[in-house]
Amino acid sequence: MAAVNVANMLRVHRARRPDHEALVDGDLRLTYEELDKAVDRHARALRDAGVGRGDIVAILARNHATYLIEIFALYRLGAVQLPLNWRLHHRELDYIVSHAGATTLLVDEEFEDKAAELETLERVITHGAGGRFPALADLVAAAPDEPVEDADVELDDLARILYTSGTTSRPKGVMHTYQNLHFNQYMQMLELGLTPADRILLTGPLFHVAGLDAPGHGTLSIGATLVVSPTFKGPDIVRLAAAERATGMVLAAQILYDILDFEQLGDYDLSSLRYVIFAGVPVVDRQRFHEAFPGVRGIDTFGMTEITSAACYLDERNQISKIGSQGPAVPFCDVKIVGPDGEELPPGRVGEIAVRGPKVMKGYWRDPEATAEALRDGWLHTGDMASIDEDGYMWFADRKRDMIRSGGENIASAEIERVIAQLPNVAEVAVIGVPDPKWDEVPKAYVIPRGELTADDVLAHCREHLGKFKVPKYVEIVDDLPRNDSGKVLKRLLEDPSAGERVAALNAREEQA
């Protein structure tokens, strides 16, 4: 049905509020009528270039208005979008493009060298001036000026493939259907109380589930305004939020740190802000947020690509009394905690998080074994560990694979990290298990200081707040931590003897990007 097509929302708001601002990207400001027309023009250009229903089309680009227009043009054609992480090496990109079976690549001019290394594509179209590859602007200008009908799609049809970051193995392609996208945007509208008056900042990369899904789709579906942030730097986001009277946004931990440490923060009027969704933010910095932004809803979450964003949101009523919790299940998600045999555990017991509902992925693209392992008896088994209290609130414990097993005890590294993060001179911390001849494993903490800090300071604090067996045996003060391209710490590199060299390589790549 054409009405199921995500692009149909633009048709609806073009008819209902044609002059309402839909998309802002710097000086470019598009109304719903202008945005829908732009999507038509791009859909015609891509159709005439050979893109059809079911084709997998990769996009290698930074966040900008053209990228968003292309996404909805692909929906309109019934094609499948494959957003690519532009920070990846061309060999990593080549694996993803080849494994996905992508036929077409849309690419920013600055990434054309990477595009030239990809061997399995039928066509490459550039956002630049053209020459090496056909220019999108030329194709759009040459396309006939006529509407394009929204493709008839079903709820179970594939709309998008997002490849996971692959912290332990090759990336896996998460299949998102139209049902996944629709129910996620309905959830966002309900949880965040979105209205056409909202002005939501897009502060995450579009190759990540926290980009368009939290809640970009919901923003446009409700007829509100989506504002593209050109950078992911805290001060820049503060300035943009104030200038555009932003009402909501997602903030990763490092962006929030930048904002809270921004000396000129008080010079900007952020009174329009209603909510901020946290992504990987320690409790201590959530407390700092509430001090800096009184009256603004701070939302901790549990989510993952396989759930099309979040499964739990901390509600406003308990954002202080339950701080540290990820909240109860969101609409359209059932969440439970299970033991090793799959049995549901009682409140307070730590086990694996399992989720079911219409937001859960269809499976992993071309990977039936991984799909069967993750989706069992109608539930997605996440590999994450948590407990749920008597009130139904989740308390995240750790990644299942990051549990430290010491002398027969299971130690959640995240618990130690939370305690260490309470020290005022700690900027960031990561804890792993390292081999020990007596205890099998013992905790080791890697700590980035914010000021003067010693290993003895960290150990003394841990001894005051943790059982003896949880106190790290080793503490190393470091300047940086290895990360993947979504900003998550790569603990497997901390476990690797060559971690230091890889940190330097990752930092060098980030600086070049």
Side-chain angles (χ1 to χ4, degrees):
M1 296 179 291
V4 171
N5 196 312
V6 176
N8 181 253
M9 68 177 77
L10 302 182
R11 296 277 196 237
V12 171
H13 295 300
R14 176 179 177 178
R16 292 182 176 179
R17 48 181 61 85
D19 298 325
H20 190 75
E21 205 164 57
L23 182 61
V24 176
D25 180 14
D27 294 332
L28 179 65
R29 294 176 178 270
L30 298 179
T31 65
Y32 272 95
E33 181 171 19
E34 292 167 336
L35 177 58
D36 191 56
K37 287 181 177 179
V39 169
D40 266 341
R41 291 194 296 271
H42 282 73
R44 288 194 300 270
L46 293 174
R47 179 194 62 194
D48 293 348
V51 174
R53 177 170 179 161
D55 288 343
I56 298 174
V57 178
I59 307 176
L60 183 62
R62 296 183 187 270
N63 288 9
H64 48 64
T66 299
Y67 194 154
L68 287 159
I69 291 168
E70 286 169 347
I71 287 173
F72 284 90
L74 293 174
Y75 289 142
R76 186 149 286 171
L77 294 173
V80 179
Q81 55 167 300
L82 175 67
L84 297 175
N85 184 340
W86 44 265
R87 297 189 181 106
L88 295 180
H89 190 277
H90 73 79
R91 291 190 181 89
E92 298 171 292
L93 293 170
D94 192 56
Y95 169 79
I96 292 173
V97 168
S98 175
H99 184 266
T103 59
T104 302
L105 174 69
L106 305 170
V107 62
D108 279 353
E109 188 171 19
E110 66 176 299
F111 304 128
E112 287 185 4
D113 287 345
K114 290 184 177 181
E117 300 287 346
L118 306 181
E119 299 177 355
T120 60
L121 294 163
E122 295 178 11
R123 65 188 68 85
V124 177
I125 300 170
T126 181
H127 299 141
R132 187 171 193 172
F133 302 112
L136 178 67
D138 293 340
L139 299 178
V140 171
D145 188 13
E146 60 186 23
V148 176
E149 293 293 326
D150 290 333
D152 284 330
V153 295
E154 301 297 330
L155 285 173
D156 195 48
D157 285 348
L158 188 59
R160 176 179 68 189
I161 304 174
L162 281 180
Y163 275 74
T164 61
S165 51
T167 55
T168 58
S169 61
R170 282 285 200 178
K172 296 189 290 290
V174 175
M175 293 188 285
H176 286 158
T177 65
Y178 283 90
Q179 171 178 279
N180 295 151
L181 300 182
H182 278 294
F183 276 92
N184 185 66
Q185 68 187 24
Y186 300 154
M187 180 278 287
Q188 299 282 3
M189 286 186 273
L190 290 170
E191 278 285 345
L192 303 175
L194 297 177
T195 75
D198 274 302
R199 300 179 65 82
I200 308 302
L201 255 59
L202 178 61
T203 55
L206 286 167
F207 59 73
H208 193 275
V209 74
L212 194 55
D213 292 283
H217 279 116
T219 303
L220 296 174
S221 185
I222 202 70
T225 305
L226 190 62
V227 181
V228 180
S229 174
T231 78
F232 304 136
K233 297 178 180 178
D236 293 339
I237 288 173
V238 167
R239 297 183 187 100
L240 184 63
E244 294 293 339
R245 304 298 295 158
T247 58
M249 55 185 165
V250 177
L251 292 181
Q254 288 182 299
I255 300 176
L256 180 59
Y257 300 154
D258 287 346
I259 290 174
L260 295 177
D261 292 338
F262 183 36
E263 293 182 358
Q264 285 79 48
L265 179 61
D267 296 340
Y268 293 89
D269 180 7
L270 298 175
S271 59
S272 59
L273 202 59
R274 293 196 299 107
Y275 76 83
V276 168
I277 299 173
F278 300 133
V281 174
V283 173
V284 62
D285 290 293
R286 288 175 235 159
Q287 292 169 331
R288 292 178 65 202
F289 168 84
H290 288 299
E291 293 170 2
F293 295 92
V296 177
R297 181 184 175 189
I299 307 172
D300 196 15
T301 72
F302 169 75
M304 56 197 303
T305 307
E306 287 86 342
I307 312 171
T308 324
S309 187
C312 294
Y313 265 5
L314 183 58
D315 57 296
E316 187 169 14
R317 182 171 63 92
N318 289 305
Q319 64 178 345
I320 302 300
S321 63
K322 295 276 192 181
I323 194 167
S325 166
Q326 289 70 51
V330 298
F332 316 118
C333 277
D334 292 328
V335 179
K336 67 178 180 179
I337 305 299
V338 299
D341 297 328
E343 77 281 7
E344 185 170 2
L345 298 178
R349 289 279 302 280
V350 173
E352 185 177 6
I353 303 166
V355 182
R356 70 177 178 186
K359 277 165 41 65
V360 172
M361 67 171 181
K362 187 173 185 176
Y364 294 113
W365 179 251
R366 293 179 172 174
D367 198 338
E369 292 183 1
T371 299
E373 172 64 23
L375 298 173
R376 305 195 300 273
D377 300 322
W379 291 83
L380 170 71
H381 291 255
T382 65
D384 289 323
M385 307 295 284
S387 63
I388 293 179
D389 65 21
E390 294 281 358
D391 300 320
Y393 285 68
M394 178 187 290
W395 297 83
F396 187 80
D398 217 333
R399 283 292 300 169
K400 187 176 181 180
R401 63 176 178 268
D402 287 342
M403 296 294 282
I404 301 168
R405 292 163 178 81
S406 183
E409 294 281 356
N410 287 334
I411 302 172
S413 61
E415 180 183 5
I416 304 173
E417 290 165 354
R418 283 196 294 268
V419 168
I420 295 175
Q422 293 170 1
L423 278 167
N425 284 349
V426 169
E428 197 165 359
V429 56
V431 174
I432 64 169
V434 296
D436 184 86
K438 181 178 181 180
W439 303 108
D440 188 27
E441 286 185 318
V442 292
K444 178 176 180 179
Y446 294 82
V447 181
I448 300 176
R450 199 188 299 275
E452 291 294 323
L453 187 73
T454 68
D456 287 341
D457 295 334
V458 175
L459 290 170
H461 179 74
C462 288
R463 292 188 187 107
E464 291 180 6
H465 296 277
L466 291 169
K468 185 177 180 180
F469 72 98
K470 296 181 182 180
V471 174
K473 187 171 183 179
Y474 309 101
V475 174
E476 185 172 342
I477 306 298
V478 297
D479 294 327
D480 205 349
L481 293 168
R483 305 175 191 280
N484 67 14
D485 295 303
S486 301
K488 295 179 182 178
V489 174
L490 288 170
K491 291 189 176 182
R492 62 182 171 83
L493 291 191
L494 292 173
E495 298 163 356
D496 192 311
S498 62
E501 297 176 8
R502 297 194 190 189
V503 170
L506 284 168
N507 289 342
R509 189 173 74 182
E510 178 66 20
E511 290 173 1
Q512 291 173 1

